[in-house]
Amino acid sequence: DLERALLPLRERVRFWGQQTDVGSVYRAIDFLLVGLPAKEALGLNVIEAQACGTPVLAPDAPPFDETVLQGVTGLRYRDPRSDGGADFERVLRLVLDGGFRVDADAARVHLAQFSEDAFFERLDVVQPDMWALPTPCPAWDVHYLVAHVIGGNRFAALVRSGLSSAEAMSTVMSPRQVGDNPMKDWRE
């Protein structure tokens, strides 16, 4: 599906592979195109790109219907499997013709909900008896989800410090890397 959808862009698309300075990459590209969200929990790459001022093109489905503010930080399109890619082509034409620009002020307001401070506020309401509660992801409880977010934060910091992805991943692999006080572990 992706190969077919990208045919109009064949001469203009470059797959960059793994990068260590993602901020520079995001600022160097015209837009970030994300794939279908079959197993995407949040899409850190989507938030990072928007924070760098790079528009995001994403399917109009979770989690992108939360992370990409339509017409402000990017454009969402119907699942190409449902309309043969017609809506994606419309969005692509709009972007390639220069008909879309990120609204930087509105983007800052939108992205604040994904900040570390916003995460702290969400965790502050979690009581000790709530850590074992289920989340929308059937295999994860609240503790596992928070550990995942903390691990992702630690992973990103380790990669930025110069470790390879493999080295950083081996450091943060344990889903129970946080103890009984995830707030304390997050701040460490």
Side-chain angles (χ1 to χ4, degrees):
D1 289 340
L2 179 61
E3 289 291 324
R4 188 170 39 107
L6 291 177
L7 278 176
L9 294 174
R10 179 77 52 207
E11 301 297 317
R12 301 172 86 173
V13 171
R14 178 175 168 199
F15 291 96
W16 290 56
Q18 182 177 340
Q19 299 292 308
T20 56
D21 183 3
V22 295
S24 294
V25 172
Y26 288 132
R27 286 185 284 281
I29 62 176
D30 297 320
F31 56 85
L32 176 70
L33 173 64
V34 296
L36 299 175
K39 294 187 178 190
E40 189 63 66
L42 180 66
L44 183 57
N45 60 329
V46 170
I47 295 168
E48 291 170 338
Q50 293 171 109
C52 291
T54 301
V56 174
L57 307 182
D60 191 14
F64 310 122
D65 56 353
E66 178 182 359
T67 56
V68 179
L69 189 56
Q70 177 69 7
V72 174
T73 63
L75 298 169
R76 297 190 311 258
Y77 53 89
R78 282 188 295 283
D79 185 327
R81 297 171 293 189
S82 70
D83 68 356
D87 197 41
F88 173 73
E89 288 181 30
R90 177 194 60 80
V91 165
L92 193 56
R93 274 194 304 277
L94 179 65
V95 170
L96 294 177
D97 291 343
F100 175 76
R101 296 284 178 256
V102 170
D103 179 336
D105 292 332
R108 267 190 295 284
V109 172
H110 169 67
L111 293 170
Q113 68 183 307
F114 305 106
S115 70
E116 191 171 270
D117 288 342
F119 185 69
F120 283 151
E121 288 175 22
R122 287 183 184 98
L123 281 184
D124 274 338
V125 302
V126 178
Q127 301 300 310
D129 62 333
M130 299 169 79
W131 292 111
L133 292 175
T135 67
C137 181
W140 292 14
D141 61 15
V142 173
H143 193 277
Y144 194 99
L145 175 64
V146 170
H148 176 76
V149 172
I150 292 170
N153 185 61
R154 289 179 176 163
F155 173 82
L158 290 169
V159 169
R160 283 192 306 270
S161 76
L163 289 182
S164 70
S165 292
E167 292 168 323
M169 186 58 70
S170 69
T171 303
V172 298
M173 275 302 286
S174 170
R176 291 292 180 182
Q177 66 183 332
V178 296
D180 292 334
N181 187 343
M183 286 294 290
K184 177 179 172 272
D185 291 326
W186 173 263
R187 289 182 174 123
E188 288 180 348

